[in-house]
Amino acid sequence: MQRIPLLINGEWVQSQTTQWRDVINPATQQVLAQVPMATVEEVDAAVAAARQAFASWKRTPIGTRARIFLRLQQLIREHMKALAAVLTAEQGKTLADAEGDIFRGLEVVEHAANIGTLQMGEFAENVAGGVDTYTLMQPLGVCAGITPFNFPAMIPLWMFPMAIACGNTFVLKPSEQDPMVTTKLVELALEAGIPAGVLNVVHGGPEVVNRLCDHPDIKAISFVGSSKVGTHVYQRASLAGKRVQCMMGAKNHAIVLPDANKEQALNQLTGAAFGAAGQRCMALTVAVLVGEAQQWIPELVAKARTLKVSAGTEPGTDVGPLISCSAKERVQSLIERGVADGATLELDGRQVQVAGFDQGNFVGPTIFSGVKPGMAIYDQEIFGPVLCLVAADSLDEAIDFINANPNGNGTAIFTQSGAAARKFQEEIDVGQVGINVPIPVPVPLFSFTGSRASKLGDLGPYGKQVVLFYTQTKTVTARWFDDPASTGGKVNTTIS
Ligand code: NAD
């Protein structure tokens, strides 16, 4: 049985822990590897290595840092198929989706290679006579990242490339549910030239996360995961004096206006609700059907019925398994609660049969209409292939409905009206807004954002905003005298 190692000071080492957890293929229940719940001493050793490496890494020239990420992006491209196979085996999503997961992370690696144009200060000449003021964007020191199971390639790649490119050193804590593809990406990062101690990896659960939050030598923490854990991490790490950013849970709504291109809107909605089995923080899980669009439910249900539910390795699969048996039980029990709460079950995915994979954690596409706030299926993030349909009479009513939900991660509108789209983008209080784009995850030229309960901390996880997050601004005000007489000869102004 493969045991996943820790990476401490450039060495892959076996944990001395007595606690191991199985990494399980969610389509078959095959145990693929075991992951350690690292000890506090091992976490401390990783932080100590990162702290020591920072002394020289922070002085490493920009071009040297950038070139590592040029090499890493090339290595990721060369290994794309193999990485996707590992990701699908441990996470369940289709191979095409796995490549998408890796590709969206690769884009951040490409962006990290541009660090020379991103980490630049400002300069103002003559703020007073002969006095200039300028800023330095200096790295913070040791930073840490804690990542979720649903994008085990993209989200680690949101974090360590940008932190390290800025001159920081890093301790990564991947999801214990699917740490294998993350480990492969870190191997490639070492091959690309990241020096010993600059990138370290520890595995584990709450105890390891809490140690990262408390450790006095860690300056900043990036977290992506559920709202419950993210709120805990934000509070605990902030209390310990760290800079913290937490990207958290979601309940993403789409508005479907009756003037939308029906075929396109329903196809996109179906893909965004059920793709990756709904295990995307940007999945569209609530559709607000305005006016005549409420007549489109039978066609939406018909489209959802055509989706193929199977293992991510099977050709033509649209909907893979949920990450674990307990996730499947949770989603099934929420569907039961939806029925009990009085929503209309238009399509029930609970009894789906998947030939050849009868042990898999499958739930088929499920659609409820007549959903209202106060029902568990509306109030909770289901994180499964369940779409809730809500009716509204007008665009104003639909916008008010979305803004009343506590979450603000992603949203979309389907319409052919520019005026309606513009009103929506202006009035909606959500971080990522799509106009006829169902999952509007920004490319790294911009930053991922998030409003209200979906995010704590003010700066986004990649793009320009994360350069601010991973650096500290130092402001220098300087005067150079060129006339020794003016200072009474006390200051040496010779430029040698
Ligand atoms: P999770 O919160 O359970 O786990 C995230 C990380 O926290 C993991 O590394 C895990 O080991 C750790 N953790 C779990 N329980 C902990 C505890 N009690 N104390 C300390 N650490 C703990 O999240 P998940 O189930 O892996 O991922 C799914 C969630 O992530 C969903 O809510 C989804 O919306 C969210 N997510 C958000 C974004 C975003 O950008 N907003 C992106 C992806 C996923």
Side-chain angles (χ1 to χ4, degrees), residues 146-150 155 158 173-177 204-206 209 223-226 229 232 247-250 281 381 383 409 448 454:
I146 300 157
T147 58
F149 81 83
N150 65 330
I155 292 176
W158 279 3
K173 207 299 285 174
S175 170
E176 68 278 28
Q177 298 195 80
V209 168
F223 171 91
V224 179
S226 63
V229 179
H232 163 76
M247 311 302 135
M248 305 187 294
C281 69
E381 182 182 32
F383 229 54
N409 207 39
F448 197 89
S454 293

PDB file of all heavy atoms in Angstrom, residues 146-150 155 158 173-177 204-206 209 223-226 229 232 247-250 281 381 383 409 448 454, ligand 1:
ATOM      1  N   ILE A 146      -4.405  25.810   2.892  1.00  0.00           N
ATOM      2  CA  ILE A 146      -5.244  24.670   3.302  1.00  0.00           C
ATOM      3  C   ILE A 146      -6.301  24.513   2.215  1.00  0.00           C
ATOM      4  O   ILE A 146      -7.037  25.468   1.922  1.00  0.00           O
ATOM      5  CB  ILE A 146      -5.895  24.961   4.671  1.00  0.00           C
ATOM      6  CG1 ILE A 146      -4.808  25.198   5.733  1.00  0.00           C
ATOM      7  CG2 ILE A 146      -6.831  23.832   5.082  1.00  0.00           C
ATOM      8  CD1 ILE A 146      -5.286  26.002   6.940  1.00  0.00           C
ATOM      9  N   THR A 147      -6.373  23.333   1.602  1.00  0.00           N
ATOM     10  CA  THR A 147      -7.193  23.214   0.385  1.00  0.00           C
ATOM     11  C   THR A 147      -8.296  22.152   0.522  1.00  0.00           C
ATOM     12  O   THR A 147      -8.176  21.220   1.324  1.00  0.00           O
ATOM     13  CB  THR A 147      -6.295  22.902  -0.832  1.00  0.00           C
ATOM     14  OG1 THR A 147      -5.581  21.695  -0.596  1.00  0.00           O
ATOM     15  CG2 THR A 147      -5.311  24.024  -1.082  1.00  0.00           C
ATOM     16  N   PRO A 148      -9.377  22.281  -0.276  1.00  0.00           N
ATOM     17  CA  PRO A 148     -10.513  21.358  -0.211  1.00  0.00           C
ATOM     18  C   PRO A 148     -10.360  20.199  -1.199  1.00  0.00           C
ATOM     19  O   PRO A 148      -9.433  20.186  -2.014  1.00  0.00           O
ATOM     20  CB  PRO A 148     -11.671  22.260  -0.626  1.00  0.00           C
ATOM     21  CG  PRO A 148     -11.057  23.149  -1.659  1.00  0.00           C
ATOM     22  CD  PRO A 148      -9.632  23.371  -1.238  1.00  0.00           C
ATOM     23  N   PHE A 149     -11.320  19.275  -1.132  1.00  0.00           N
ATOM     24  CA  PHE A 149     -11.213  18.069  -1.971  1.00  0.00           C
ATOM     25  C   PHE A 149     -11.651  18.295  -3.411  1.00  0.00           C
ATOM     26  O   PHE A 149     -11.310  17.510  -4.297  1.00  0.00           O
ATOM     27  CB  PHE A 149     -12.058  16.928  -1.361  1.00  0.00           C
ATOM     28  CG  PHE A 149     -13.528  17.029  -1.693  1.00  0.00           C
ATOM     29  CD1 PHE A 149     -14.028  16.544  -2.899  1.00  0.00           C
ATOM     30  CD2 PHE A 149     -14.432  17.632  -0.817  1.00  0.00           C
ATOM     31  CE1 PHE A 149     -15.375  16.661  -3.225  1.00  0.00           C
ATOM     32  CE2 PHE A 149     -15.768  17.758  -1.132  1.00  0.00           C
ATOM     33  CZ  PHE A 149     -16.241  17.267  -2.336  1.00  0.00           C
ATOM     34  N   ASN A 150     -12.453  19.341  -3.674  1.00  0.00           N
ATOM     35  CA  ASN A 150     -13.170  19.340  -4.956  1.00  0.00           C
ATOM     36  C   ASN A 150     -12.335  19.800  -6.150  1.00  0.00           C
ATOM     37  O   ASN A 150     -12.657  19.463  -7.281  1.00  0.00           O
ATOM     38  CB  ASN A 150     -14.486  20.120  -4.849  1.00  0.00           C
ATOM     39  CG  ASN A 150     -14.288  21.591  -4.574  1.00  0.00           C
ATOM     40  OD1 ASN A 150     -13.311  21.974  -3.949  1.00  0.00           O
ATOM     41  ND2 ASN A 150     -15.201  22.402  -5.046  1.00  0.00           N
ATOM     42  N   ILE A 155      -6.754  24.318  -6.897  1.00  0.00           N
ATOM     43  CA  ILE A 155      -6.681  25.191  -5.712  1.00  0.00           C
ATOM     44  C   ILE A 155      -5.281  25.191  -5.081  1.00  0.00           C
ATOM     45  O   ILE A 155      -4.769  26.270  -4.770  1.00  0.00           O
ATOM     46  CB  ILE A 155      -7.840  24.902  -4.742  1.00  0.00           C
ATOM     47  CG1 ILE A 155      -9.136  25.356  -5.447  1.00  0.00           C
ATOM     48  CG2 ILE A 155      -7.652  25.658  -3.426  1.00  0.00           C
ATOM     49  CD1 ILE A 155     -10.411  25.077  -4.725  1.00  0.00           C
ATOM     50  N   TRP A 158      -3.594  27.606  -7.116  1.00  0.00           N
ATOM     51  CA  TRP A 158      -3.921  29.006  -6.835  1.00  0.00           C
ATOM     52  C   TRP A 158      -2.907  29.571  -5.840  1.00  0.00           C
ATOM     53  O   TRP A 158      -2.614  30.757  -5.846  1.00  0.00           O
ATOM     54  CB  TRP A 158      -5.295  29.131  -6.145  1.00  0.00           C
ATOM     55  CG  TRP A 158      -6.510  29.072  -7.001  1.00  0.00           C
ATOM     56  CD1 TRP A 158      -6.590  28.858  -8.343  1.00  0.00           C
ATOM     57  CD2 TRP A 158      -7.868  29.242  -6.544  1.00  0.00           C
ATOM     58  NE1 TRP A 158      -7.906  28.869  -8.736  1.00  0.00           N
ATOM     59  CE2 TRP A 158      -8.699  29.101  -7.662  1.00  0.00           C
ATOM     60  CE3 TRP A 158      -8.446  29.478  -5.289  1.00  0.00           C
ATOM     61  CZ2 TRP A 158     -10.095  29.213  -7.572  1.00  0.00           C
ATOM     62  CZ3 TRP A 158      -9.825  29.575  -5.198  1.00  0.00           C
ATOM     63  CH2 TRP A 158     -10.650  29.445  -6.340  1.00  0.00           C
ATOM     64  N   LYS A 173      -1.168  22.263   3.004  1.00  0.00           N
ATOM     65  CA  LYS A 173      -1.915  21.174   3.643  1.00  0.00           C
ATOM     66  C   LYS A 173      -3.060  20.803   2.706  1.00  0.00           C
ATOM     67  O   LYS A 173      -4.130  21.408   2.730  1.00  0.00           O
ATOM     68  CB  LYS A 173      -2.456  21.652   4.993  1.00  0.00           C
ATOM     69  CG  LYS A 173      -2.681  20.593   6.050  1.00  0.00           C
ATOM     70  CD  LYS A 173      -3.665  19.517   5.701  1.00  0.00           C
ATOM     71  CE  LYS A 173      -5.106  19.931   5.753  1.00  0.00           C
ATOM     72  NZ  LYS A 173      -6.014  18.854   5.245  1.00  0.00           N
ATOM     73  N   PRO A 174      -2.839  19.779   1.844  1.00  0.00           N
ATOM     74  CA  PRO A 174      -3.895  19.408   0.882  1.00  0.00           C
ATOM     75  C   PRO A 174      -5.066  18.712   1.582  1.00  0.00           C
ATOM     76  O   PRO A 174      -4.953  18.307   2.741  1.00  0.00           O
ATOM     77  CB  PRO A 174      -3.182  18.418  -0.056  1.00  0.00           C
ATOM     78  CG  PRO A 174      -1.729  18.492   0.284  1.00  0.00           C
ATOM     79  CD  PRO A 174      -1.639  18.964   1.698  1.00  0.00           C
ATOM     80  N   SER A 175      -6.148  18.537   0.846  1.00  0.00           N
ATOM     81  CA  SER A 175      -7.279  17.765   1.381  1.00  0.00           C
ATOM     82  C   SER A 175      -6.829  16.340   1.639  1.00  0.00           C
ATOM     83  O   SER A 175      -6.182  15.714   0.798  1.00  0.00           O
ATOM     84  CB  SER A 175      -8.441  17.758   0.396  1.00  0.00           C
ATOM     85  OG  SER A 175      -9.412  16.825   0.840  1.00  0.00           O
ATOM     86  N   GLU A 176      -7.216  15.815   2.782  1.00  0.00           N
ATOM     87  CA  GLU A 176      -6.855  14.430   3.120  1.00  0.00           C
ATOM     88  C   GLU A 176      -7.673  13.426   2.303  1.00  0.00           C
ATOM     89  O   GLU A 176      -7.382  12.243   2.284  1.00  0.00           O
ATOM     90  CB  GLU A 176      -7.021  14.182   4.629  1.00  0.00           C
ATOM     91  CG  GLU A 176      -8.455  14.206   5.152  1.00  0.00           C
ATOM     92  CD  GLU A 176      -8.987  15.626   5.411  1.00  0.00           C
ATOM     93  OE1 GLU A 176      -8.533  16.577   4.754  1.00  0.00           O
ATOM     94  OE2 GLU A 176      -9.883  15.746   6.260  1.00  0.00           O
ATOM     95  N   GLN A 177      -8.724  13.942   1.606  1.00  0.00           N
ATOM     96  CA  GLN A 177      -9.568  13.011   0.833  1.00  0.00           C
ATOM     97  C   GLN A 177      -8.954  12.671  -0.524  1.00  0.00           C
ATOM     98  O   GLN A 177      -9.212  11.605  -1.076  1.00  0.00           O
ATOM     99  CB  GLN A 177     -10.964  13.612   0.650  1.00  0.00           C
ATOM    100  CG  GLN A 177     -11.665  13.837   1.979  1.00  0.00           C
ATOM    101  CD  GLN A 177     -13.150  14.070   1.806  1.00  0.00           C
ATOM    102  OE1 GLN A 177     -13.917  13.127   1.644  1.00  0.00           O
ATOM    103  NE2 GLN A 177     -13.562  15.307   1.851  1.00  0.00           N
ATOM    104  N   GLY A 204      -3.023  16.036   6.921  1.00  0.00           N
ATOM    105  CA  GLY A 204      -3.747  15.838   8.167  1.00  0.00           C
ATOM    106  C   GLY A 204      -5.096  16.509   8.156  1.00  0.00           C
ATOM    107  O   GLY A 204      -5.581  16.964   7.114  1.00  0.00           O
ATOM    108  N   GLY A 205      -5.688  16.571   9.345  1.00  0.00           N
ATOM    109  CA  GLY A 205      -7.020  17.133   9.511  1.00  0.00           C
ATOM    110  C   GLY A 205      -6.989  18.305  10.484  1.00  0.00           C
ATOM    111  O   GLY A 205      -6.045  19.103  10.478  1.00  0.00           O
ATOM    112  N   PRO A 206      -7.995  18.380  11.373  1.00  0.00           N
ATOM    113  CA  PRO A 206      -8.129  19.548  12.248  1.00  0.00           C
ATOM    114  C   PRO A 206      -6.883  19.864  13.078  1.00  0.00           C
ATOM    115  O   PRO A 206      -6.532  21.035  13.232  1.00  0.00           O
ATOM    116  CB  PRO A 206      -9.305  19.161  13.147  1.00  0.00           C
ATOM    117  CG  PRO A 206     -10.118  18.235  12.317  1.00  0.00           C
ATOM    118  CD  PRO A 206      -9.162  17.481  11.452  1.00  0.00           C
ATOM    119  N   VAL A 209      -4.342  21.576  10.888  1.00  0.00           N
ATOM    120  CA  VAL A 209      -4.841  22.908  10.510  1.00  0.00           C
ATOM    121  C   VAL A 209      -4.732  23.873  11.699  1.00  0.00           C
ATOM    122  O   VAL A 209      -4.281  25.020  11.552  1.00  0.00           O
ATOM    123  CB  VAL A 209      -6.295  22.804   9.993  1.00  0.00           C
ATOM    124  CG1 VAL A 209      -6.940  24.185   9.865  1.00  0.00           C
ATOM    125  CG2 VAL A 209      -6.321  22.073   8.659  1.00  0.00           C
ATOM    126  N   PHE A 223      -7.029  29.848   2.756  1.00  0.00           N
ATOM    127  CA  PHE A 223      -7.910  28.688   2.977  1.00  0.00           C
ATOM    128  C   PHE A 223      -8.980  28.674   1.898  1.00  0.00           C
ATOM    129  O   PHE A 223      -9.558  29.718   1.573  1.00  0.00           O
ATOM    130  CB  PHE A 223      -8.584  28.784   4.353  1.00  0.00           C
ATOM    131  CG  PHE A 223      -9.668  27.750   4.557  1.00  0.00           C
ATOM    132  CD1 PHE A 223      -9.379  26.515   5.116  1.00  0.00           C
ATOM    133  CD2 PHE A 223     -10.983  28.007   4.157  1.00  0.00           C
ATOM    134  CE1 PHE A 223     -10.368  25.551   5.286  1.00  0.00           C
ATOM    135  CE2 PHE A 223     -11.984  27.049   4.313  1.00  0.00           C
ATOM    136  CZ  PHE A 223     -11.667  25.823   4.885  1.00  0.00           C
ATOM    137  N   VAL A 224      -9.268  27.496   1.366  1.00  0.00           N
ATOM    138  CA  VAL A 224     -10.445  27.306   0.515  1.00  0.00           C
ATOM    139  C   VAL A 224     -11.153  26.062   1.022  1.00  0.00           C
ATOM    140  O   VAL A 224     -10.535  24.998   1.175  1.00  0.00           O
ATOM    141  CB  VAL A 224     -10.069  27.151  -0.979  1.00  0.00           C
ATOM    142  CG1 VAL A 224     -11.325  26.932  -1.816  1.00  0.00           C
ATOM    143  CG2 VAL A 224      -9.324  28.382  -1.478  1.00  0.00           C
ATOM    144  N   GLY A 225     -12.454  26.179   1.284  1.00  0.00           N
ATOM    145  CA  GLY A 225     -13.224  25.032   1.784  1.00  0.00           C
ATOM    146  C   GLY A 225     -14.577  25.493   2.281  1.00  0.00           C
ATOM    147  O   GLY A 225     -15.096  26.534   1.843  1.00  0.00           O
ATOM    148  N   SER A 226     -15.136  24.733   3.199  1.00  0.00           N
ATOM    149  CA  SER A 226     -16.509  25.020   3.651  1.00  0.00           C
ATOM    150  C   SER A 226     -16.547  26.264   4.545  1.00  0.00           C
ATOM    151  O   SER A 226     -15.542  26.669   5.128  1.00  0.00           O
ATOM    152  CB  SER A 226     -17.034  23.814   4.438  1.00  0.00           C
ATOM    153  OG  SER A 226     -16.235  23.637   5.595  1.00  0.00           O
ATOM    154  N   VAL A 229     -15.572  25.497   8.393  1.00  0.00           N
ATOM    155  CA  VAL A 229     -14.138  25.373   8.689  1.00  0.00           C
ATOM    156  C   VAL A 229     -13.423  26.700   8.381  1.00  0.00           C
ATOM    157  O   VAL A 229     -12.556  27.139   9.139  1.00  0.00           O
ATOM    158  CB  VAL A 229     -13.513  24.190   7.907  1.00  0.00           C
ATOM    159  CG1 VAL A 229     -12.029  24.093   8.218  1.00  0.00           C
ATOM    160  CG2 VAL A 229     -14.219  22.888   8.257  1.00  0.00           C
ATOM    161  N   HIS A 232     -13.798  29.139  11.150  1.00  0.00           N
ATOM    162  CA  HIS A 232     -12.926  28.730  12.263  1.00  0.00           C
ATOM    163  C   HIS A 232     -11.472  29.130  11.975  1.00  0.00           C
ATOM    164  O   HIS A 232     -10.800  29.722  12.828  1.00  0.00           O
ATOM    165  CB  HIS A 232     -13.053  27.213  12.447  1.00  0.00           C
ATOM    166  CG  HIS A 232     -11.959  26.605  13.259  1.00  0.00           C
ATOM    167  ND1 HIS A 232     -11.893  26.718  14.628  1.00  0.00           N
ATOM    168  CD2 HIS A 232     -10.850  25.897  12.888  1.00  0.00           C
ATOM    169  CE1 HIS A 232     -10.802  26.105  15.062  1.00  0.00           C
ATOM    170  NE2 HIS A 232     -10.154  25.603  14.037  1.00  0.00           N
ATOM    171  N   MET A 247     -11.835  31.469   1.225  1.00  0.00           N
ATOM    172  CA  MET A 247     -12.859  31.341   0.188  1.00  0.00           C
ATOM    173  C   MET A 247     -13.740  30.166   0.622  1.00  0.00           C
ATOM    174  O   MET A 247     -13.230  29.052   0.792  1.00  0.00           O
ATOM    175  CB  MET A 247     -12.257  31.024  -1.178  1.00  0.00           C
ATOM    176  CG  MET A 247     -11.119  31.916  -1.586  1.00  0.00           C
ATOM    177  SD  MET A 247     -11.562  33.634  -1.635  1.00  0.00           S
ATOM    178  CE  MET A 247     -10.131  34.298  -0.800  1.00  0.00           C
ATOM    179  N   MET A 248     -15.046  30.403   0.748  1.00  0.00           N
ATOM    180  CA  MET A 248     -15.852  29.400   1.449  1.00  0.00           C
ATOM    181  C   MET A 248     -17.082  28.957   0.644  1.00  0.00           C
ATOM    182  O   MET A 248     -17.078  29.029  -0.566  1.00  0.00           O
ATOM    183  CB  MET A 248     -16.213  29.960   2.808  1.00  0.00           C
ATOM    184  CG  MET A 248     -14.968  30.398   3.584  1.00  0.00           C
ATOM    185  SD  MET A 248     -15.302  30.893   5.262  1.00  0.00           S
ATOM    186  CE  MET A 248     -16.273  32.362   4.978  1.00  0.00           C
ATOM    187  N   GLY A 249     -18.095  28.529   1.365  1.00  0.00           N
ATOM    188  CA  GLY A 249     -19.235  27.855   0.755  1.00  0.00           C
ATOM    189  C   GLY A 249     -20.105  28.759  -0.110  1.00  0.00           C
ATOM    190  O   GLY A 249     -19.919  29.977  -0.162  1.00  0.00           O
ATOM    191  N   ALA A 250     -21.065  28.129  -0.765  1.00  0.00           N
ATOM    192  CA  ALA A 250     -21.827  28.858  -1.776  1.00  0.00           C
ATOM    193  C   ALA A 250     -23.248  28.321  -1.880  1.00  0.00           C
ATOM    194  O   ALA A 250     -23.563  27.223  -1.412  1.00  0.00           O
ATOM    195  CB  ALA A 250     -21.131  28.714  -3.126  1.00  0.00           C
ATOM    196  N   CYS A 281     -17.671  24.749  -6.136  1.00  0.00           N
ATOM    197  CA  CYS A 281     -18.141  25.893  -5.343  1.00  0.00           C
ATOM    198  C   CYS A 281     -18.865  26.879  -6.236  1.00  0.00           C
ATOM    199  O   CYS A 281     -19.559  27.771  -5.750  1.00  0.00           O
ATOM    200  CB  CYS A 281     -16.990  26.581  -4.640  1.00  0.00           C
ATOM    201  SG  CYS A 281     -15.899  27.415  -5.770  1.00  0.00           S
ATOM    202  N   GLU A 381     -25.858  24.274   1.680  1.00  0.00           N
ATOM    203  CA  GLU A 381     -25.104  23.956   0.462  1.00  0.00           C
ATOM    204  C   GLU A 381     -25.138  22.429   0.332  1.00  0.00           C
ATOM    205  O   GLU A 381     -24.612  21.718   1.191  1.00  0.00           O
ATOM    206  CB  GLU A 381     -23.654  24.442   0.601  1.00  0.00           C
ATOM    207  CG  GLU A 381     -22.827  24.194  -0.646  1.00  0.00           C
ATOM    208  CD  GLU A 381     -21.371  24.635  -0.495  1.00  0.00           C
ATOM    209  OE1 GLU A 381     -20.835  24.566   0.627  1.00  0.00           O
ATOM    210  OE2 GLU A 381     -20.769  25.017  -1.512  1.00  0.00           O
ATOM    211  N   PHE A 383     -23.934  20.442  -2.220  1.00  0.00           N
ATOM    212  CA  PHE A 383     -22.687  19.928  -2.797  1.00  0.00           C
ATOM    213  C   PHE A 383     -22.895  18.539  -3.419  1.00  0.00           C
ATOM    214  O   PHE A 383     -22.147  17.590  -3.213  1.00  0.00           O
ATOM    215  CB  PHE A 383     -21.562  19.903  -1.757  1.00  0.00           C
ATOM    216  CG  PHE A 383     -20.296  20.530  -2.287  1.00  0.00           C
ATOM    217  CD1 PHE A 383     -20.309  21.812  -2.811  1.00  0.00           C
ATOM    218  CD2 PHE A 383     -19.095  19.835  -2.296  1.00  0.00           C
ATOM    219  CE1 PHE A 383     -19.159  22.400  -3.322  1.00  0.00           C
ATOM    220  CE2 PHE A 383     -17.939  20.406  -2.809  1.00  0.00           C
ATOM    221  CZ  PHE A 383     -17.976  21.688  -3.321  1.00  0.00           C
ATOM    222  N   ASN A 409     -21.095  33.745  -3.753  1.00  0.00           N
ATOM    223  CA  ASN A 409     -19.908  33.272  -4.484  1.00  0.00           C
ATOM    224  C   ASN A 409     -20.029  33.530  -5.984  1.00  0.00           C
ATOM    225  O   ASN A 409     -19.260  34.276  -6.556  1.00  0.00           O
ATOM    226  CB  ASN A 409     -19.700  31.782  -4.202  1.00  0.00           C
ATOM    227  CG  ASN A 409     -18.244  31.387  -4.334  1.00  0.00           C
ATOM    228  OD1 ASN A 409     -17.364  32.138  -3.927  1.00  0.00           O
ATOM    229  ND2 ASN A 409     -17.977  30.217  -4.901  1.00  0.00           N
ATOM    230  N   PHE A 448     -10.189  35.825  -8.418  1.00  0.00           N
ATOM    231  CA  PHE A 448     -11.412  35.228  -7.897  1.00  0.00           C
ATOM    232  C   PHE A 448     -11.861  36.125  -6.739  1.00  0.00           C
ATOM    233  O   PHE A 448     -11.028  36.668  -6.017  1.00  0.00           O
ATOM    234  CB  PHE A 448     -11.099  33.816  -7.393  1.00  0.00           C
ATOM    235  CG  PHE A 448     -12.307  32.951  -7.197  1.00  0.00           C
ATOM    236  CD1 PHE A 448     -12.804  32.185  -8.237  1.00  0.00           C
ATOM    237  CD2 PHE A 448     -12.935  32.884  -5.966  1.00  0.00           C
ATOM    238  CE1 PHE A 448     -13.912  31.376  -8.050  1.00  0.00           C
ATOM    239  CE2 PHE A 448     -14.050  32.083  -5.775  1.00  0.00           C
ATOM    240  CZ  PHE A 448     -14.531  31.318  -6.818  1.00  0.00           C
ATOM    241  N   SER A 454     -19.590  34.013   1.639  1.00  0.00           N
ATOM    242  CA  SER A 454     -18.720  33.128   0.854  1.00  0.00           C
ATOM    243  C   SER A 454     -17.246  33.463   1.019  1.00  0.00           C
ATOM    244  O   SER A 454     -16.391  32.743   0.500  1.00  0.00           O
ATOM    245  CB  SER A 454     -19.094  33.205  -0.633  1.00  0.00           C
ATOM    246  OG  SER A 454     -20.373  32.660  -0.823  1.00  0.00           O
TER     247      SER A 454
HETATM  248  P1  NAD B   1     -13.753  21.354   4.198  1.00  0.00           P
HETATM  249  O1  NAD B   1     -13.985  22.672   4.812  1.00  0.00           O
HETATM  250  O2  NAD B   1     -14.354  20.150   4.825  1.00  0.00           O
HETATM  251  O3  NAD B   1     -12.160  21.054   4.127  1.00  0.00           O
HETATM  252  C1  NAD B   1     -11.263  22.039   3.692  1.00  0.00           C
HETATM  253  C2  NAD B   1      -9.940  21.848   4.428  1.00  0.00           C
HETATM  254  O4  NAD B   1     -10.148  22.044   5.834  1.00  0.00           O
HETATM  255  C3  NAD B   1      -9.349  20.450   4.255  1.00  0.00           C
HETATM  256  O5  NAD B   1      -7.968  20.574   4.018  1.00  0.00           O
HETATM  257  C4  NAD B   1      -9.647  19.777   5.582  1.00  0.00           C
HETATM  258  O6  NAD B   1      -8.646  18.858   5.970  1.00  0.00           O
HETATM  259  C5  NAD B   1      -9.698  20.914   6.568  1.00  0.00           C
HETATM  260  N1  NAD B   1     -10.654  20.659   7.672  1.00  0.00           N
HETATM  261  C6  NAD B   1     -11.795  19.920   7.616  1.00  0.00           C
HETATM  262  N2  NAD B   1     -12.429  19.937   8.807  1.00  0.00           N
HETATM  263  C7  NAD B   1     -11.680  20.718   9.622  1.00  0.00           C
HETATM  264  C8  NAD B   1     -11.820  21.129  10.988  1.00  0.00           C
HETATM  265  N3  NAD B   1     -12.844  20.728  11.720  1.00  0.00           N
HETATM  266  N4  NAD B   1     -10.869  21.929  11.510  1.00  0.00           N
HETATM  267  C9  NAD B   1      -9.824  22.344  10.778  1.00  0.00           C
HETATM  268  N5  NAD B   1      -9.638  21.970   9.479  1.00  0.00           N
HETATM  269  C10 NAD B   1     -10.552  21.170   8.905  1.00  0.00           C
HETATM  270  O7  NAD B   1     -14.187  21.491   2.668  1.00  0.00           O
HETATM  271  P2  NAD B   1     -14.303  20.350   1.566  1.00  0.00           P
HETATM  272  O8  NAD B   1     -15.481  19.496   1.874  1.00  0.00           O
HETATM  273  O9  NAD B   1     -12.989  19.714   1.337  1.00  0.00           O
HETATM  274  O10 NAD B   1     -14.609  21.242   0.261  1.00  0.00           O
HETATM  275  C11 NAD B   1     -15.902  21.615  -0.128  1.00  0.00           C
HETATM  276  C12 NAD B   1     -16.251  23.014   0.343  1.00  0.00           C
HETATM  277  O11 NAD B   1     -15.296  23.939  -0.165  1.00  0.00           O
HETATM  278  C13 NAD B   1     -17.589  23.507  -0.164  1.00  0.00           C
HETATM  279  O12 NAD B   1     -18.229  24.202   0.871  1.00  0.00           O
HETATM  280  C14 NAD B   1     -17.228  24.452  -1.309  1.00  0.00           C
HETATM  281  O13 NAD B   1     -18.198  25.445  -1.585  1.00  0.00           O
HETATM  282  C15 NAD B   1     -15.972  25.039  -0.772  1.00  0.00           C
HETATM  283  N6  NAD B   1     -15.157  25.595  -1.843  1.00  0.00           N
HETATM  284  C16 NAD B   1     -15.110  26.952  -1.978  1.00  0.00           C
HETATM  285  C17 NAD B   1     -14.384  27.522  -3.007  1.00  0.00           C
HETATM  286  C18 NAD B   1     -14.328  29.019  -3.184  1.00  0.00           C
HETATM  287  O14 NAD B   1     -13.474  29.494  -3.909  1.00  0.00           O
HETATM  288  N7  NAD B   1     -15.200  29.787  -2.549  1.00  0.00           N
HETATM  289  C19 NAD B   1     -13.685  26.700  -3.912  1.00  0.00           C
HETATM  290  C20 NAD B   1     -13.749  25.311  -3.724  1.00  0.00           C
HETATM  291  C21 NAD B   1     -14.478  24.776  -2.682  1.00  0.00           C
END
